[in-house]
Amino acid sequence: RMQDAVQQGREIFINLPLEPSDYPYTDPGPYGLLIDTPDETNIKQLEKIMGLGVHYVGLMSVSGERFTEQGQKLKPILEAMTAKGLLFVYFPK
């Protein structure tokens, strides 16, 4: 549980499913943020993801090459996370 991890002094990150380079072969799932999706819809998806947990310090992605390469798509997502004081960690393949 997230609360147990926080009580043990651990930092929690939630996975942010971003469109990978081999999409649609690899699907980021029902909450995935996609480059062909309007920004407003991606923000709503982000809000759903952020609503899945509490006590986390940020979001992270282990894929999402195609999405992160699109600066104009990534910018509103990062701004929404920054407005809430959240970190973003990206581990490109």
Side-chain angles (χ1 to χ4, degrees):
R1 292 185 358 199
M2 286 181 151
Q3 190 172 15
D4 293 339
V6 170
Q7 289 174 348
Q8 294 171 7
R10 301 181 191 278
E11 303 290 351
I12 306 298
F13 285 81
I14 293 178
N15 183 54
L16 180 62
L18 301 174
E19 182 174 330
S21 59
D22 62 349
Y23 178 80
Y25 178 74
T26 301
D27 188 338
Y31 292 111
L33 280 60
L34 306 173
I35 60 172
D36 289 334
T37 301
D39 291 345
E40 299 79 27
T41 304
N42 278 333
I43 293 292
K44 287 180 183 177
Q45 289 291 85
L46 174 65
E47 290 170 353
K48 288 178 187 176
I49 293 164
M50 292 188 303
L52 295 173
V54 294
H55 306 297
Y56 56 90
V57 297
L59 294 102
M60 56 162 282
S61 184
V62 295
S63 65
E65 300 84 7
R66 187 175 294 163
F67 195 92
T68 57
E69 290 172 358
Q70 301 291 320
Q72 76 278 8
K73 297 302 283 187
L74 185 59
K75 184 178 179 184
I77 300 303
L78 294 177
E79 288 173 346
M81 292 182 347
T82 300
K84 296 195 177 284
L86 298 171
L87 301 171
F88 178 63
V89 176
Y90 175 56
F91 299 99
K93 288 184 180 181

